[in-house]
Short mmCIF file of all heavy atoms in Angstrom, two decimals:
data_model
loop_
_atom_site.label_atom_id
_atom_site.label_comp_id
_atom_site.label_asym_id
_atom_site.label_seq_id
_atom_site.Cartn_x
_atom_site.Cartn_y
_atom_site.Cartn_z
N LEU Q 1 -52.41 8.50 9.72
CA LEU Q 1 -53.26 7.78 8.77
C LEU Q 1 -54.67 8.32 8.81
O LEU Q 1 -55.26 8.49 9.88
CB LEU Q 1 -53.26 6.28 9.10
CG LEU Q 1 -54.01 5.42 8.09
CD1 LEU Q 1 -53.16 4.24 7.64
CD2 LEU Q 1 -55.32 4.91 8.67
N GLN Q 2 -55.21 8.63 7.64
CA GLN Q 2 -56.57 9.15 7.54
C GLN Q 2 -57.57 8.00 7.65
O GLN Q 2 -57.34 6.91 7.15
CB GLN Q 2 -56.73 9.90 6.22
CG GLN Q 2 -55.84 11.13 6.14
CD GLN Q 2 -55.77 11.74 4.75
OE1 GLN Q 2 -56.32 11.20 3.79
NE2 GLN Q 2 -55.08 12.87 4.63
N LYS Q 3 -58.70 8.29 8.28
CA LYS Q 3 -59.69 7.28 8.61
C LYS Q 3 -60.09 6.41 7.43
O LYS Q 3 -60.24 5.19 7.56
CB LYS Q 3 -60.93 7.97 9.20
CG LYS Q 3 -62.09 7.04 9.53
CD LYS Q 3 -61.76 6.07 10.65
CE LYS Q 3 -62.96 5.21 11.01
NZ LYS Q 3 -62.67 4.22 12.06
N LYS Q 4 -60.25 7.01 6.26
CA LYS Q 4 -60.73 6.24 5.10
C LYS Q 4 -59.74 5.18 4.64
O LYS Q 4 -60.11 4.26 3.90
CB LYS Q 4 -61.06 7.17 3.94
CG LYS Q 4 -59.88 7.97 3.40
CD LYS Q 4 -60.33 8.91 2.28
CE LYS Q 4 -59.20 9.78 1.78
NZ LYS Q 4 -59.66 10.70 0.70
N TYR Q 5 -58.47 5.30 5.10
CA TYR Q 5 -57.44 4.33 4.71
C TYR Q 5 -57.15 3.31 5.81
O TYR Q 5 -56.20 2.53 5.69
CB TYR Q 5 -56.15 5.06 4.33
CG TYR Q 5 -56.28 5.96 3.14
CD1 TYR Q 5 -56.08 7.34 3.26
CD2 TYR Q 5 -56.60 5.45 1.88
CE1 TYR Q 5 -56.21 8.18 2.16
CE2 TYR Q 5 -56.72 6.28 0.77
CZ TYR Q 5 -56.52 7.64 0.92
OH TYR Q 5 -56.64 8.47 -0.18
N GLU Q 6 -57.94 3.30 6.86
CA GLU Q 6 -57.66 2.38 7.97
C GLU Q 6 -57.80 0.93 7.51
O GLU Q 6 -58.72 0.57 6.78
CB GLU Q 6 -58.60 2.64 9.14
CG GLU Q 6 -58.27 1.76 10.35
CD GLU Q 6 -58.91 2.25 11.64
OE1 GLU Q 6 -60.14 2.18 11.73
OE2 GLU Q 6 -58.17 2.70 12.53
N SER Q 7 -56.86 0.11 7.95
CA SER Q 7 -56.86 -1.31 7.61
C SER Q 7 -55.96 -2.05 8.59
O SER Q 7 -55.47 -1.46 9.57
CB SER Q 7 -56.35 -1.53 6.18
OG SER Q 7 -54.95 -1.31 6.12
N PHE Q 8 -55.70 -3.30 8.30
CA PHE Q 8 -54.82 -4.09 9.15
C PHE Q 8 -53.39 -3.57 9.14
O PHE Q 8 -52.61 -3.88 10.04
CB PHE Q 8 -54.86 -5.55 8.70
CG PHE Q 8 -54.26 -6.53 9.67
CD1 PHE Q 8 -54.62 -6.51 11.01
CD2 PHE Q 8 -53.36 -7.48 9.24
CE1 PHE Q 8 -54.07 -7.42 11.91
CE2 PHE Q 8 -52.81 -8.41 10.12
CZ PHE Q 8 -53.17 -8.37 11.47
N VAL Q 9 -53.04 -2.76 8.13
CA VAL Q 9 -51.69 -2.18 8.07
C VAL Q 9 -51.68 -0.70 8.45
O VAL Q 9 -50.75 0.02 8.12
CB VAL Q 9 -51.05 -2.37 6.68
CG1 VAL Q 9 -50.70 -3.82 6.45
CG2 VAL Q 9 -51.95 -1.85 5.57
N GLY Q 10 -52.71 -0.27 9.20
CA GLY Q 10 -52.70 1.12 9.64
C GLY Q 10 -53.89 1.49 10.48
O GLY Q 10 -55.03 1.33 10.04
N VAL Q 11 -53.63 1.94 11.70
CA VAL Q 11 -54.68 2.41 12.60
C VAL Q 11 -54.79 3.93 12.45
O VAL Q 11 -53.78 4.64 12.40
CB VAL Q 11 -54.37 2.04 14.06
CG1 VAL Q 11 -55.43 2.62 15.01
CG2 VAL Q 11 -54.29 0.52 14.21
N THR Q 12 -56.02 4.42 12.36
CA THR Q 12 -56.28 5.85 12.20
C THR Q 12 -55.48 6.70 13.20
O THR Q 12 -55.40 6.34 14.38
CB THR Q 12 -57.78 6.14 12.42
OG1 THR Q 12 -58.53 5.43 11.43
CG2 THR Q 12 -58.08 7.61 12.28
N SER Q 13 -54.88 7.76 12.72
CA SER Q 13 -54.19 8.81 13.48
C SER Q 13 -52.71 8.51 13.73
O SER Q 13 -51.98 9.40 14.18
CB SER Q 13 -54.88 9.09 14.83
OG SER Q 13 -54.60 8.07 15.80
N VAL Q 14 -52.23 7.30 13.44
CA VAL Q 14 -50.84 6.94 13.72
C VAL Q 14 -49.97 7.23 12.49
O VAL Q 14 -50.33 6.85 11.38
CB VAL Q 14 -50.72 5.45 14.11
CG1 VAL Q 14 -49.26 5.07 14.36
CG2 VAL Q 14 -51.57 5.16 15.34
N PRO Q 15 -48.82 7.90 12.65
CA PRO Q 15 -47.95 8.18 11.50
C PRO Q 15 -47.17 6.95 11.06
O PRO Q 15 -47.16 5.92 11.75
CB PRO Q 15 -47.03 9.27 12.03
CG PRO Q 15 -46.96 9.03 13.49
CD PRO Q 15 -48.31 8.50 13.89
N HIS Q 16 -46.50 7.06 9.94
CA HIS Q 16 -45.79 5.93 9.35
C HIS Q 16 -44.75 5.33 10.31
O HIS Q 16 -44.68 4.12 10.47
CB HIS Q 16 -45.10 6.37 8.06
CG HIS Q 16 -46.03 6.89 7.02
ND1 HIS Q 16 -46.58 8.17 7.08
CD2 HIS Q 16 -46.53 6.33 5.90
CE1 HIS Q 16 -47.36 8.36 6.03
NE2 HIS Q 16 -47.36 7.27 5.30
N ARG Q 17 -43.96 6.19 10.92
CA ARG Q 17 -43.01 5.76 11.96
C ARG Q 17 -43.39 6.50 13.23
O ARG Q 17 -43.26 7.71 13.31
CB ARG Q 17 -41.57 6.09 11.54
CG ARG Q 17 -40.52 5.77 12.60
CD ARG Q 17 -39.11 6.04 12.08
NE ARG Q 17 -38.11 5.91 13.14
CZ ARG Q 17 -36.81 6.07 12.99
NH1 ARG Q 17 -36.32 6.38 11.80
NH2 ARG Q 17 -35.98 5.95 14.01
N HIS Q 18 -43.87 5.77 14.24
CA HIS Q 18 -44.55 6.41 15.36
C HIS Q 18 -43.66 6.84 16.52
O HIS Q 18 -44.07 7.64 17.35
CB HIS Q 18 -45.67 5.50 15.88
CG HIS Q 18 -45.25 4.09 16.15
ND1 HIS Q 18 -44.42 3.73 17.19
CD2 HIS Q 18 -45.56 2.94 15.50
CE1 HIS Q 18 -44.24 2.42 17.18
NE2 HIS Q 18 -44.91 1.91 16.17
N GLY Q 19 -42.45 6.30 16.64
CA GLY Q 19 -41.53 6.76 17.68
C GLY Q 19 -41.89 6.34 19.09
O GLY Q 19 -41.39 6.92 20.06
N LEU Q 20 -42.75 5.34 19.26
CA LEU Q 20 -43.16 4.83 20.57
C LEU Q 20 -42.74 3.38 20.72
O LEU Q 20 -42.64 2.65 19.73
CB LEU Q 20 -44.68 4.93 20.73
CG LEU Q 20 -45.30 6.33 20.72
CD1 LEU Q 20 -46.82 6.24 20.66
CD2 LEU Q 20 -44.87 7.12 21.95
N ASN Q 21 -42.51 2.95 21.96
CA ASN Q 21 -42.35 1.52 22.15
C ASN Q 21 -43.74 0.88 22.19
O ASN Q 21 -44.76 1.58 22.21
CB ASN Q 21 -41.52 1.20 23.40
CG ASN Q 21 -42.17 1.67 24.69
OD1 ASN Q 21 -43.35 1.39 24.93
ND2 ASN Q 21 -41.43 2.39 25.52
N GLY Q 22 -43.77 -0.44 22.18
CA GLY Q 22 -45.05 -1.14 22.08
C GLY Q 22 -46.04 -0.80 23.18
O GLY Q 22 -47.23 -0.57 22.92
N SER Q 23 -45.57 -0.76 24.42
CA SER Q 23 -46.48 -0.48 25.53
C SER Q 23 -47.02 0.95 25.46
O SER Q 23 -48.18 1.21 25.80
CB SER Q 23 -45.77 -0.72 26.87
OG SER Q 23 -44.58 0.04 26.98
N GLU Q 24 -46.20 1.90 24.99
CA GLU Q 24 -46.66 3.28 24.85
C GLU Q 24 -47.72 3.39 23.75
O GLU Q 24 -48.71 4.11 23.91
CB GLU Q 24 -45.47 4.19 24.53
CG GLU Q 24 -44.51 4.36 25.71
CD GLU Q 24 -43.18 4.97 25.30
OE1 GLU Q 24 -42.88 5.03 24.09
OE2 GLU Q 24 -42.42 5.39 26.20
N LEU Q 25 -47.50 2.70 22.63
CA LEU Q 25 -48.48 2.76 21.55
C LEU Q 25 -49.81 2.14 21.99
O LEU Q 25 -50.88 2.68 21.68
CB LEU Q 25 -47.96 2.05 20.31
CG LEU Q 25 -48.86 2.14 19.07
CD1 LEU Q 25 -49.09 3.59 18.66
CD2 LEU Q 25 -48.28 1.34 17.91
N LEU Q 26 -49.77 1.04 22.75
CA LEU Q 26 -51.01 0.44 23.22
C LEU Q 26 -51.70 1.34 24.24
O LEU Q 26 -52.94 1.42 24.26
CB LEU Q 26 -50.73 -0.95 23.81
CG LEU Q 26 -50.25 -1.99 22.81
CD1 LEU Q 26 -50.03 -3.33 23.48
CD2 LEU Q 26 -51.21 -2.13 21.63
N GLN Q 27 -50.94 2.03 25.07
CA GLN Q 27 -51.54 2.99 25.99
C GLN Q 27 -52.17 4.14 25.20
O GLN Q 27 -53.24 4.65 25.57
CB GLN Q 27 -50.50 3.53 26.96
CG GLN Q 27 -51.06 4.44 28.05
CD GLN Q 27 -52.03 3.72 28.97
OE1 GLN Q 27 -51.66 2.78 29.66
NE2 GLN Q 27 -53.29 4.15 28.97
N TYR Q 28 -51.52 4.54 24.11
CA TYR Q 28 -52.09 5.57 23.24
C TYR Q 28 -53.45 5.11 22.71
O TYR Q 28 -54.42 5.89 22.70
CB TYR Q 28 -51.15 5.87 22.08
CG TYR Q 28 -51.78 6.71 20.99
CD1 TYR Q 28 -51.92 8.09 21.14
CD2 TYR Q 28 -52.27 6.12 19.82
CE1 TYR Q 28 -52.52 8.86 20.15
CE2 TYR Q 28 -52.87 6.88 18.83
CZ TYR Q 28 -52.99 8.25 19.00
OH TYR Q 28 -53.61 9.00 18.02
N TYR Q 29 -53.55 3.87 22.28
CA TYR Q 29 -54.81 3.35 21.76
C TYR Q 29 -55.91 3.38 22.83
O TYR Q 29 -57.05 3.75 22.56
CB TYR Q 29 -54.64 1.93 21.25
CG TYR Q 29 -53.83 1.80 19.98
CD1 TYR Q 29 -53.06 0.66 19.72
CD2 TYR Q 29 -53.84 2.81 19.02
CE1 TYR Q 29 -52.33 0.53 18.55
CE2 TYR Q 29 -53.10 2.69 17.85
CZ TYR Q 29 -52.35 1.55 17.63
OH TYR Q 29 -51.62 1.43 16.47
N VAL Q 30 -55.55 2.99 24.04
CA VAL Q 30 -56.53 3.02 25.13
C VAL Q 30 -57.04 4.43 25.35
O VAL Q 30 -58.25 4.67 25.50
CB VAL Q 30 -55.92 2.44 26.43
CG1 VAL Q 30 -56.83 2.70 27.63
CG2 VAL Q 30 -55.66 0.95 26.28
N ASN Q 31 -56.11 5.40 25.35
CA ASN Q 31 -56.49 6.80 25.58
C ASN Q 31 -57.26 7.39 24.40
O ASN Q 31 -58.30 8.04 24.58
CB ASN Q 31 -55.24 7.65 25.84
CG ASN Q 31 -54.48 7.22 27.08
OD1 ASN Q 31 -54.99 6.47 27.91
ND2 ASN Q 31 -53.25 7.67 27.21
N GLU Q 32 -56.74 7.19 23.21
CA GLU Q 32 -57.28 7.83 22.01
C GLU Q 32 -58.68 7.32 21.67
O GLU Q 32 -59.54 8.10 21.23
CB GLU Q 32 -56.33 7.58 20.82
CG GLU Q 32 -56.77 8.22 19.50
CD GLU Q 32 -56.57 9.73 19.46
OE1 GLU Q 32 -55.99 10.29 20.41
OE2 GLU Q 32 -57.00 10.34 18.46
N PHE Q 33 -58.91 6.03 21.89
CA PHE Q 33 -60.19 5.44 21.48
C PHE Q 33 -61.08 5.09 22.68
O PHE Q 33 -62.05 4.36 22.55
CB PHE Q 33 -59.92 4.21 20.61
CG PHE Q 33 -59.14 4.54 19.36
CD1 PHE Q 33 -57.79 4.22 19.27
CD2 PHE Q 33 -59.74 5.20 18.31
CE1 PHE Q 33 -57.06 4.53 18.12
CE2 PHE Q 33 -59.02 5.52 17.16
CZ PHE Q 33 -57.68 5.19 17.06
N TYR Q 34 -60.72 5.62 23.85
CA TYR Q 34 -61.54 5.50 25.06
C TYR Q 34 -61.91 4.03 25.34
O TYR Q 34 -63.08 3.68 25.52
CB TYR Q 34 -62.82 6.35 24.94
CG TYR Q 34 -62.54 7.81 24.68
CD1 TYR Q 34 -62.64 8.32 23.39
CD2 TYR Q 34 -62.15 8.66 25.71
CE1 TYR Q 34 -62.36 9.67 23.15
CE2 TYR Q 34 -61.87 10.00 25.48
CZ TYR Q 34 -61.98 10.50 24.19
OH TYR Q 34 -61.70 11.84 23.95
N LEU Q 35 -60.89 3.20 25.38
CA LEU Q 35 -61.13 1.77 25.58
C LEU Q 35 -61.26 1.45 27.07
O LEU Q 35 -60.51 1.97 27.91
CB LEU Q 35 -59.98 0.96 24.98
CG LEU Q 35 -59.74 1.16 23.48
CD1 LEU Q 35 -58.61 0.28 23.00
CD2 LEU Q 35 -61.01 0.90 22.67
N ASP Q 36 -62.21 0.60 27.39
CA ASP Q 36 -62.47 0.18 28.77
C ASP Q 36 -61.57 -1.01 29.09
O ASP Q 36 -62.00 -2.16 29.14
CB ASP Q 36 -63.95 -0.21 28.90
CG ASP Q 36 -64.32 -0.61 30.34
OD1 ASP Q 36 -63.48 -0.42 31.24
OD2 ASP Q 36 -65.43 -1.13 30.53
N VAL Q 37 -60.29 -0.69 29.30
CA VAL Q 37 -59.28 -1.72 29.55
C VAL Q 37 -58.31 -1.23 30.62
O VAL Q 37 -57.79 -0.11 30.51
CB VAL Q 37 -58.48 -2.06 28.27
CG1 VAL Q 37 -57.45 -3.14 28.57
CG2 VAL Q 37 -59.41 -2.52 27.15
#
């Protein structure tokens, strides 16, 4: 997903079907966006 289209139905950089389980996708968010969590 391109940044200009980010919304509640799409986080930037994630494809339409992401192929990850929930915990993996949340870990991706922590890594990708440098979250202090």
Side-chain angles (χ1 to χ4, degrees):
L1 185 130
Q2 296 168 355
K3 177 66 177 178
K4 62 182 176 181
Y5 297 117
E6 184 164 68
S7 73
F8 194 49
V9 290
V11 176
T12 299
S13 77
V14 178
H16 300 77
R17 176 177 172 179
H18 50 70
L20 296 171
N21 63 50
S23 56
E24 290 166 347
L25 185 59
L26 294 181
Q27 186 63 63
Y28 169 79
Y29 289 149
V30 170
N31 298 345
E32 181 74 6
F33 300 104
Y34 303 100
L35 301 181
D36 183 9
V37 180

